[in-house]
Amino acid sequence: MKIELAKSYGFCFGVKRAIKIAENSKNASTIGELIHNSLEIDRLKNNFNVKTLKDISELKNEKKAIIRTHGITKEGLANLKSRDVEIIDATCPFVTKPQQIVEKMSSEGYEIVFFGDINHPEVKGVMSYSSKNVYVILDESELETVKLPSKIAVVSQTTKKIEKFTKIVSYLMQRVKEVRVFNTICNATLENQEAVRELSSRADVMVIIGGKNSSNTKQLYLISKNLCPDSYLIESENELELKWFQNKKLCGISAGASTPEWVIQNVINKLENLTHKDS
Amino acid sequence: MKIELAKSYGFCFGVKRAIKIAENSKNASTIGELIHNSLEIDRLKNNFNVKTLKDISELKNEKKAIIRTHGITKEGLANLKSRDVEIIDATCPFVTKPQQIVEKMSSEGYEIVFFGDINHPEVKGVMSYSSKNVYVILDESELETVKLPSKIAVVSQTTKKIEKFTKIVSYLMQRVKEVRVFNTICNATLENQEAVRELSSRADVMVIIGGKNSSNTKQLYLISKNLCPDSYLIESENELELKWFQNKKLCGISAGASTPEWVIQNVINKLENLTHKDS
């Protein structure tokens, strides 16, 4: 069996940057998980004593607080600033952008339609910057009973799919006179998605590596599963099962934007070992 | 054979308004055809001595110049103002709107994508209000080789179809960070389209009445033809042919936004006469 990595996979710019910031902030504490990857969080804890707090309320005698890649709410930031703690901002610049857009647009009188998961910390952070109504939706049908104003600004969670985003915009165009669309979907996510689409259309088995609570990893998995039914989502090499690879010719590999390179390498090593034994 | 009128058809608000303005401006001259309907233009000439000039260059000793429903270019308006003539503005308010949008957006630094026919007088008028690049397109593929800036404002000719407009916007969203969408498609057009869609899906023959150079009439005809292959586009009752209606049960009727009520009534009378003789 041949093993092939997707052309683009794994860590994006914002995650690489956040890890570097954390590595340079020994003994700091992050407010919530720095990134969606428990293995990398363990490594930062073990090697750099970077702890993970559940939320601000757990902040006691810490000297340094790191804001995670997903950002923080406006209120959370104000709370941090009122404390005697050094604030280290590891918010992904691509997340800061929609925060700024939402703040500016709402101040200009636009209500906001936000395409995203209402429970995702990035979304909670972005929403908090609006001074007007924010409609957080995953599907345009959720707006069916909403009385919309004549102008709307539309923003997306960075990890969402463009195809659905365009559908939401098409729907809004037919209900609202002005729709101001900001494509805040991250390019890195798109590139990883494009690469997994290409690879999964050729492979007969796909392994997607990433946190099971990571929305961009799940997205990659869904695209892959759609084109290659034998697709598997795993967090580490320990979940690999030999039977997945029996009689397969090409195994494609991709990884979520929060999956560390060393985790991917471990999977490849184990996979080579497994299939080598098998042959 | 039963004859049924579409729920919404014929004159829109802007055309009704322009005709009223012309009727109240005896002996005036319109710069270009007031509306896209030669029969109504003849009536205004015969009953109110409202003449039609080809363009401003034909303006000689006229005392009153009427700007037609499609509007006029910014330069044309300046030209008119420099002359000793009373200017009567019959521009449809729904056409004035995109002119204002294009002027404002270009002054705010947006380049413009305009969904429309480059040769249509409405489009020429709207375009002239931009101080930045305007890309007039009928299909998103026309932008494939264009180097686009990071923000674009998108406007549509009032008589275009929303389905295609949403496709153009979806395309732009994937190339440009900010797409500011103004849905300037006229509601009257949409209502007539919706009504013809409903009726042509039930009828076994359709007659669409309107100017053959009227883009909204052609649009109605295309929608109708798609759902009812026996669809005919005529300008007056004189074009009706008995054979179209043989063995038909339901004849649907609609008319373009520039088609006068009396023309529609003439068609219905002739049709009842024809099919009555036939039975």
Side-chain angles (χ1 to χ4, degrees):
Chain A
M1 185 181 73
K2 205 186 145 200
I3 295 170
E4 185 175 331
L5 268 158
K7 279 212 175 64
S8 172
Y9 66 92
F11 277 5
C12 63
F13 162 77
V15 167
K16 278 185 196 151
R17 180 175 166 274
I19 289 170
K20 203 162 281 171
I21 289 172
E23 289 177 349
N24 290 328
S25 311
K26 275 186 186 162
N27 310 315
S29 296
T30 69
I31 312 298
E33 294 185 337
L34 182 69
I35 57 173
H36 266 149
N37 188 283
S38 52
L39 299 169
E40 186 68 13
I41 285 169
D42 289 347
R43 192 184 67 90
L44 290 169
K45 172 86 178 71
N46 297 335
N47 299 5
F48 301 91
N49 194 34
V50 171
K51 293 182 294 277
T52 298
L53 306 182
K54 221 181 129 205
D55 51 44
I56 295 182
S57 70
E58 288 191 355
L59 203 63
K60 297 285 185 295
N61 302 315
E62 279 78 8
K63 295 220 163 48
K64 296 188 272 188
I66 302 178
I67 299 173
R68 59 172 163 181
T69 49
H70 316 90
I72 193 169
T73 62
K74 201 174 179 179
E75 300 70 40
L77 183 61
N79 182 328
L80 269 189
K81 283 182 177 169
S82 71
R83 291 166 183 255
D84 185 28
V85 64
E86 182 191 347
I87 302 169
I88 299 159
D89 191 0
T91 307
C92 170
F94 295 119
V95 173
T96 307
K97 190 81 192 162
Q99 289 176 349
Q100 291 166 339
I101 289 169
V102 161
E103 186 160 39
K104 185 158 184 285
M105 286 305 103
S106 63
S107 80
E108 289 183 17
Y110 291 83
E111 292 191 5
I112 312 290
V113 168
F114 195 95
F115 172 35
D117 297 298
I118 200 159
N119 293 317
H120 194 284
E122 175 191 325
V123 179
K124 285 181 184 167
V126 173
M127 275 177 72
S128 72
Y129 282 85
S130 177
S131 56
K132 303 275 282 179
N133 281 336
V134 183
Y135 306 101
V136 180
I137 60 164
L138 286 169
D139 191 277
E140 58 275 20
S141 64
E142 294 168 57
L143 294 170
E144 209 57 72
T145 55
V146 176
K147 195 176 175 313
L148 294 170
S150 65
K151 57 184 197 175
I152 280 281
V154 197
V155 183
S156 173
Q157 188 176 344
T158 54
T159 46
K160 287 290 165 197
K161 281 212 283 192
I162 185 74
E163 290 83 355
K164 186 70 191 171
F165 193 32
T166 63
K167 276 192 188 139
I168 290 169
V169 169
S170 295
Y171 171 83
L172 282 169
M173 281 174 63
Q174 295 174 64
R175 284 199 52 196
V176 170
K177 280 284 162 211
E178 181 188 347
V179 187
R180 201 160 169 179
V181 186
F182 296 88
N183 184 354
T184 49
I185 294 177
C186 177
N187 274 338
T189 308
L190 286 183
E191 281 161 21
N192 284 1
Q193 287 179 1
E194 214 34 68
V196 95
R197 190 170 284 122
E198 191 278 325
L199 183 54
S200 61
S201 68
R202 291 187 288 118
D204 49 8
V205 57
M206 288 287 300
V207 174
I208 312 295
I209 314 158
K212 281 175 185 163
N213 56 346
S214 151
S215 93
N216 88 81
T217 304
K218 278 186 277 183
Q219 208 60 264
L220 289 179
Y221 171 68
L222 288 176
I223 292 171
S224 177
K225 183 101 185 150
N226 196 31
L227 290 159
C228 174
D230 289 334
S231 291
Y232 302 96
L233 172 56
I234 62 171
E235 292 202 347
S236 81
E237 73 278 13
N238 299 325
E239 297 172 50
L240 289 171
E241 294 182 30
L242 182 56
K243 63 179 182 201
W244 298 346
F245 308 99
Q246 270 155 3
N247 304 319
K248 299 296 185 188
K249 289 198 176 68
L250 174 60
C251 171
I253 295 192
S254 181
S258 309
T259 310
E261 191 56 39
W262 55 269
V263 172
I264 301 165
Q265 205 47 58
N266 286 348
V267 169
I268 294 174
N269 292 344
K270 175 86 176 282
L271 204 49
E272 280 171 345
N273 205 23
L274 268 179
T275 52
H276 180 71
K277 272 190 201 142
D278 188 39
S279 66
Chain B
M1 186 180 74
K2 204 187 148 200
I3 296 170
E4 185 174 331
L5 269 159
K7 280 214 176 60
S8 173
Y9 66 92
F11 278 5
C12 63
F13 163 76
V15 167
K16 276 185 198 151
R17 181 175 166 273
I19 290 170
K20 203 161 281 172
I21 289 172
E23 289 177 347
N24 290 327
S25 311
K26 275 186 186 163
N27 310 314
S29 297
T30 70
I31 312 297
E33 294 184 336
L34 181 72
I35 57 172
H36 266 148
N37 188 282
S38 51
L39 298 170
E40 185 69 13
I41 285 169
D42 289 347
R43 192 185 67 90
L44 290 169
K45 172 87 178 68
N46 296 336
N47 298 4
F48 302 90
N49 193 33
V50 171
K51 292 182 294 276
T52 298
L53 306 182
K54 221 180 128 201
D55 51 44
I56 295 181
S57 70
E58 289 191 356
L59 203 63
K60 296 283 186 294
N61 301 315
E62 278 78 8
K63 295 219 162 49
K64 296 188 271 187
I66 302 178
I67 298 174
R68 60 173 163 182
T69 49
H70 316 91
I72 193 169
T73 62
K74 202 174 177 177
E75 299 71 39
L77 184 61
N79 182 328
L80 269 190
K81 282 183 177 169
S82 72
R83 292 165 184 256
D84 185 26
V85 64
E86 182 192 345
I87 302 170
I88 298 158
D89 191 0
T91 307
C92 170
F94 295 120
V95 173
T96 307
K97 191 80 193 164
Q99 290 175 349
Q100 292 166 339
I101 290 169
V102 161
E103 186 160 41
K104 185 156 185 284
M105 287 303 105
S106 64
S107 79
E108 289 182 17
Y110 290 83
E111 293 190 5
I112 313 289
V113 168
F114 195 96
F115 171 36
D117 298 298
I118 199 161
N119 292 318
H120 194 284
E122 174 190 326
V123 179
K124 285 181 184 168
V126 173
M127 276 177 71
S128 72
Y129 283 84
S130 177
S131 56
K132 303 273 284 182
N133 282 335
V134 184
Y135 306 101
V136 180
I137 60 164
L138 286 169
D139 191 279
E140 58 275 21
S141 63
E142 295 169 57
L143 293 170
E144 210 57 71
T145 56
V146 175
K147 194 175 175 310
L148 294 169
S150 65
K151 58 182 196 176
I152 281 279
V154 197
V155 183
S156 173
Q157 188 176 343
T158 53
T159 46
K160 287 290 165 200
K161 281 211 283 193
I162 185 74
E163 290 82 356
K164 186 69 192 174
F165 193 33
T166 62
K167 276 191 188 140
I168 289 169
V169 169
S170 295
Y171 171 83
L172 282 168
M173 280 173 63
Q174 295 174 64
R175 284 199 53 197
V176 168
K177 280 283 163 212
E178 181 189 347
V179 187
R180 202 161 169 180
V181 186
F182 296 88
N183 184 354
T184 49
I185 294 177
C186 178
N187 274 338
T189 308
L190 286 182
E191 282 162 19
N192 284 1
Q193 287 177 4
E194 214 34 66
V196 95
R197 189 171 284 123
E198 192 278 324
L199 183 54
S200 61
S201 69
R202 292 187 288 118
D204 48 8
V205 57
M206 287 288 298
V207 175
I208 312 296
I209 313 159
K212 282 177 183 161
N213 57 346
S214 151
S215 94
N216 88 79
T217 304
K218 278 187 277 184
Q219 209 60 265
L220 290 179
Y221 171 68
L222 288 175
I223 292 171
S224 176
K225 183 103 185 147
N226 196 30
L227 290 159
C228 173
D230 289 333
S231 292
Y232 302 95
L233 172 55
I234 61 171
E235 292 201 345
S236 81
E237 73 277 13
N238 300 324
E239 296 172 51
L240 289 171
E241 295 182 30
L242 182 58
K243 64 179 182 199
W244 297 346
F245 307 99
Q246 271 156 2
N247 304 318
K248 300 296 186 189
K249 289 200 178 65
L250 176 60
C251 172
I253 296 196
S254 181
S258 308
T259 309
E261 191 56 38
W262 54 270
V263 171
I264 301 166
Q265 205 46 58
N266 285 349
V267 169
I268 294 175
N269 292 345
K270 174 86 176 277
L271 204 49
E272 281 172 344
N273 205 22
L274 267 178
T275 51
H276 181 70
K277 273 190 200 141
D278 188 38
S279 63

